[in-house]
Every structure is written in structure tokens, then in C-alpha cells.
Amino acid sequence: MALALDTLRLTAEEAIDLVEQKEVSPAELHAAYRDAIAARDDELHTYLRSVEIAEGASIPIALKDVISTKGIETTAGSKILSGYVPVFDATVAARCKAAGLTLLGKTNTDEFAMGSSTENSAWGPSRNPWDPSRVPGGSGGGTAAAVSAGLAPWGLGSDTGGSIKQPSALCGNVGLRPTYGTVSRYGVVAFASSLDQIGPVAKTVRDVALLYSIIAGRDPQDSTTVELPERVRLPDSERLDGLRVGVPRQIASLGAIEPGVRTAFERALELASELGAEIGECDLPTSYRYGMPCYYLIAPAEASSNLARYDGVRYGPRTEAATYDEMVERTRDEGFGAEPKRRIMLGTYALSAGYYDAYYGQAQRVRTLLIREHREALSKFDVIATPTSPTVAFPIGDKAADPLAMYACDLLTIPSCLAGLPGLSIPCGLSDDLPVGLQLLGPQFGENALFRAGHALEKAIGFDTVPLRWRERSDPWGQTPGGEGSDPTGLTPEDTP
Ligand code: GLN
């Protein structure tokens, strides 16, 4: 039986239910996503590679191309890794497999996850499903755009300074950057090791929580991981009674925040207070003043060290030359794009003898201040709320020539990353017909509080994750777009008006 599975609306939880109830077979589920990819991915370019499923397919998932997949090319969006086929799975990929998830494909990313738009991908940019002339955010724009366009029910991204939260915001998805150390990075292409985290992107907070429960926990292969102090709880409460929400007072004077983003953010705060939350002001003065410069010293410094391994000997293609030194130089010159080169130079300089203390050492001291001021704020509040991105999705090409403008996209996501704290982005409305993200930050291991707050707000906000231009078509039984009782599966026509 051919079922009209509407992948634009289907959540992972619903997909799992359909398969468990035997209403849909895993093969039919995969076929629905394959059809959606065939119909929409030429335009959006969210996948670098899709994977043919042989036998035994189950619930599908997309993985960002920085996650090693055994036998499947993994490039991290870079030419220097083209043709690199890992001989092992990253722990997160292995955990997904073990939980019965099957890979749909590897999604596009800025080269080595450096960027905020996917325009730095060596394989060309992805496009935003809400408006294909605009970026989907980055670096995980491929995963976010795929989830938003119904080309995957959910996916995994990596977040160093915002690459899960910011693209989720720009594409109208939910994204979680987990507490540093709760998810294994074994087998993940490293960018900045004191910051990199793997986390889920999906259409709902419950899906994100479910996927987080699959990947989180100690991994003997990654000594920076720990066991979760409490198990992941799937949120179901629609109230926020007693939840203390802190809003940094500095947000009010940040000129970078667009008026439409501010309006949607403020409406979300009003809803939170209607749901019973207590809203108050907190103080993060160092975060917004020095967070970005601090990040753009620490992250490139660590990147310059991590990227030293791409030398034409160990991975990927090699440019032959007369001497070893010349071979390494030419391979790196041809293999790396402009952004990794810029960061390798910045980082090498910041780490060099004579400048180390002035730049890298100083940035580390600022980082300690950021950790302290977040701890202080979170001693009075359960969660901190800010917009996720200062702007909605911007036109492709708008910031590509201006690295500093691109870096500023992560103004609001970076400080908590430097502090190692978890952050959840949920859609909180539209501005100029484009999604706005609400960022909720919590203390270390505070994911359950974020899920609870995010779920209740998500219900109250009632954001329709289907991009406007597809609402009519996504509606196989002719219901009002996003209307009450719209059936995401399209399986029960008799129940519809
Ligand atoms: N946009 C930020 C950067 O370019 C963050 C990227 C990320 O989180 N991977 O570094």
C-alpha cells in the first residue's frame, strides 16, 4: 500500500510510532524520505552524499559530514578530505545504529565546521527551505535545512560556537548543544577540542530529547566524556510554574538584534510568564563584550593544532612534489579553502612564542570570567533566555566577503559554549516570514530543565515548522495550513474535516 507520508510534518516520534504499530514499514518510511530528497534536494543541496539502504532499514537519520561513518566518505566539507573513507564509525554514529537508526546521508557543512552559513563548504552552499535565496545558517546548515524540508526526520550536528543552535533557528527547527562532555567526540573531525560538541536537530523538543538520550553518556573511547548524572526525561508538562527565567540585561542594548527578532523574543517571554514562569533580569556583561574576540582566539588556536594532521600523508588527496616539505605545502594550499587557512594563520600566530600570553593566555582568562558570570546568573535562575541569532536568515552572498560580519552571527550563542553549558534553540515565531529562534541556556547537565521549558513553550507558541511556501502542497487531505487537528502522517483522512 502506498501511503501519503508527509515527511514535511512527520516527527521522528510519530515515525517510530507508525513503524511500531506496523502501519508503515521501515522501507516505506525510507522511500518517503528518498522521494522527498529526489524532489527537493537539487534546489537545496542539503546532502553531500545519500546512502543506499540495502536490507534492514529502520528509522532514518541524517548525519553532518564531520561525523565518521564506516565505509562512507566523510569530508567535513573540505577538499582536503575528499575520498576519505573512514574504517570505523564515530561513537555517535555507532550509537544511532545500535538504537535502530539508519543513515539517510551525510549533510553539508562549512569546511571543518568553520562558518555560519554553509557558504564555506568546498562543495557549495546549502539553501534555506523557507527562502532558497537565503542561507540556512551554519556550519550545520545541511542538517537543519534537511530537517526543515522534510528530507530527514532528525539529524546530528556539531556545535563549537553555535553550529547547531544558529542553523536550527534560521530554519525553524529545534536544536540542542549539550553540556560539554556529555556526548562522545570519538570519530568526529575535530575543530576546537575544548568547545566541540555533538547534538541533535529535529522538529520538536521531544524528538531532540529522545535523540540526545540515544547519543549521550560516557564513552571509554573519549576521556572527556562523563556519565549523565540523571537520566533524560521526555518532557510532557505544558506548564512552567516555578521556573525562574533570567534575561541578560545586556540584550536590551545590543544593536545587532533585528527589531523583528526582538519582538518574537519578547512575545515568547510573555508566553513563558503566562505559563507560570517567573521572568527576571540577570547580568552577563563580559559575555557579549568579550565573548566573540575570546572565541576567535581560542577556536582558531585549537584549530591550527587540530588541522596540522592534514598533510597529504595520512588522509585524503596528495599533491605530488619534489620534496616532502613542498608536497605538504602544496597539498595544504590546494586542499584547504580560505576560511580554514585564515584560522590556521590566526591560531598559529596567537600561539606563537612572544604572543601566547598576550592573546591565547588572555583569552583563557576571559573564558574563566565567562564561566563565573554564567555560574552566578544560573545560581539565581533555572534557565537564561535570549534570541538564538541576532538576525533571521540572510541572503546568500551577503556576508561571504566579510569574515567579521559572519563571525558576528554567533554573538549570542558563543558565550555559553565557552562556558561549557547546554543550550536549546526552539522556533518562537516569524519575522519577515522567516523563522526566529529562542535560545534557552541552562547549568551544566541542565538538559532536562531545558527540555521541560522548551516543550511547554513550544506547545504554547504553536510554531508551524513547515516552510510557508510548502504549506498548501504539504497537505494531502486539504486541511487548512498548519490548522488545528492537521494530521502529520496523512494516514487518517476520515478523521479530518
Ligand atoms: N560560526 C562559528 C565559527 O565559525 C561557529 C561554528 C561552529 O559552531 N562549528 O566558528
Side-chain angles (χ1 to χ4, degrees):
M1 173 173 57
L3 292 163
L5 272 178
D6 183 0
T7 62
L8 276 169
R9 289 206 178 277
L10 194 65
T11 66
E13 203 177 356
E14 288 160 350
I16 292 167
D17 271 355
L18 289 174
V19 169
E20 277 174 2
Q21 305 301 319
K22 303 219 185 307
E23 291 186 53
V24 169
S25 73
E28 285 168 323
L29 196 58
H30 274 265
Y33 284 98
R34 294 261 159 250
D35 290 350
I37 292 170
R40 297 195 273 267
D41 208 38
D42 280 349
E43 180 188 36
L44 300 175
H45 190 230
T46 68
Y47 283 97
L48 295 178
R49 232 154 290 112
S50 54
V51 178
E52 279 311 315
I53 311 293
E55 289 300 285
S58 184
I59 306 300
I61 188 165
L63 299 181
K64 186 179 180 181
D65 204 34
V66 297
I67 298 170
S68 294
T69 40
K70 185 175 175 179
I72 296 162
E73 190 188 14
T74 300
T75 68
S78 180
K79 272 201 286 187
I80 211 161
L81 276 172
S82 61
Y84 169 61
V85 179
V87 294
F88 69 107
D89 274 323
T91 296
V92 287
R95 288 194 178 176
C96 287
K97 260 187 200 170
L101 306 181
T102 317
L103 184 66
L104 271 168
K106 305 296 291 289
T107 47
N108 199 12
T109 166
D110 284 296
E111 190 173 353
F112 287 102
M114 297 170 179
S116 302
S117 67
T118 74
E119 289 166 290
N120 294 335
S121 167
W123 317 113
S126 299
R127 291 172 180 275
N128 192 310
W130 290 77
D131 175 352
S133 72
R134 291 172 187 263
V135 303
S139 61
T143 303
V147 170
S148 161
L151 312 185
W154 54 9
L156 290 182
S158 66
D159 190 301
T160 305
S163 282
I164 292 174
K165 296 183 286 184
Q166 183 259 15
S168 298
L170 269 44
C171 291
N173 297 320
V174 181
L176 171 76
R177 176 202 162 86
T179 302
Y180 185 82
T182 57
V183 179
S184 169
R185 280 100 46 87
Y186 178 69
V188 175
V189 176
F191 164 10
S193 306
S194 77
L195 291 152
D196 297 345
Q197 274 300 283
I198 297 297
V201 176
K203 288 198 183 69
T204 66
V205 174
R206 282 177 63 94
D207 278 2
V208 159
L210 185 59
L211 188 49
Y212 177 61
S213 73
I214 291 170
I215 59 170
R218 178 164 155 69
D219 173 16
Q221 307 271 38
D222 178 351
S223 60
T224 65
T225 55
V226 292
E227 212 48 81
L228 299 189
E230 58 176 25
R231 67 176 182 83
V232 178
R233 285 190 296 274
L234 289 193
D236 53 16
S237 164
E238 300 194 358
R239 295 286 308 169
L240 289 179
D241 299 296
L243 189 84
R244 297 165 304 165
V245 180
V247 179
R249 77 174 87 243
Q250 286 74 22
I251 295 290
S253 53
L254 288 178
I257 302 175
E258 290 177 349
V261 169
R262 217 176 260 289
T263 308
F265 171 64
E266 280 159 8
R267 243 188 278 126
L269 292 178
E270 280 163 26
L271 275 177
S273 110
E274 281 167 28
L275 296 178
E278 297 156 28
I279 319 278
E281 252 186 6
C282 63
D283 214 16
L284 296 175
T286 314
S287 290
Y288 303 112
R289 184 132 189 222
Y290 298 114
M292 270 204 339
C294 171
Y295 172 87
Y296 278 102
L297 284 166
I298 292 174
E302 294 181 13
S304 71
S305 163
N306 274 326
L307 270 51
R309 72 190 69 166
Y310 305 106
D311 55 4
V313 177
R314 282 169 270 211
Y315 309 89
R318 165 187 304 184
T319 308
E320 295 297 346
T323 67
Y324 167 78
D325 284 350
E326 209 184 312
M327 180 280 288
V328 173
E329 200 178 309
R330 290 187 47 195
T331 299
R332 287 170 69 83
D333 185 34
E334 287 172 23
F336 287 129
E339 190 60 32
K341 281 180 186 163
R342 180 162 27 242
R343 299 205 189 192
I344 290 167
M345 287 192 286
L346 251 171
T348 308
Y349 182 80
L351 289 177
S352 57
Y355 293 106
Y356 179 93
D357 239 2
Y359 294 116
Y360 185 75
Q362 189 70 358
Q364 290 291 23
R365 285 188 277 274
V366 171
R367 187 175 190 173
T368 302
L369 295 180
L370 295 191
I371 294 170
R372 280 196 202 137
E373 73 179 21
H374 278 84
R375 192 182 298 145
E376 166 73 18
L378 287 163
S379 69
K380 300 187 194 108
F381 294 98
D382 301 305
V383 301
I384 296 172
T386 74
T388 308
S389 158
T391 72
V392 292
F394 47 91
I396 291 178
D398 233 28
K399 300 184 202 274
D402 183 353
L404 287 181
M406 193 68 86
Y407 295 172
C409 294
D410 293 312
L411 172 70
L412 301 166
T413 50
I414 276 177
S416 58
C417 297
L418 284 164
L421 303 177
L424 182 74
S425 180
I426 67 166
C428 69
L430 296 176
S431 166
D432 293 330
D433 284 349
L434 294 164
V436 175
L438 167 71
Q439 175 177 239
L440 299 171
L441 306 169
Q444 269 188 314
F445 311 113
E447 277 80 357
N448 280 331
L450 298 183
F451 295 149
R452 173 185 167 218
H455 174 76
L457 273 168
E458 172 183 77
K459 291 281 169 211
I461 292 167
F463 183 84
D464 186 344
T465 56
V466 177
L468 285 171
R469 66 197 184 110
W470 287 323
R471 288 203 192 162
E472 296 295 337
R473 262 192 288 154
S474 76
D475 201 359
W477 310 110
Q479 302 140 23
T480 26
E484 193 65 28
S486 71
D487 178 73
T489 64
L491 288 175
T492 51
E494 61 278 10
D495 291 345
T496 62

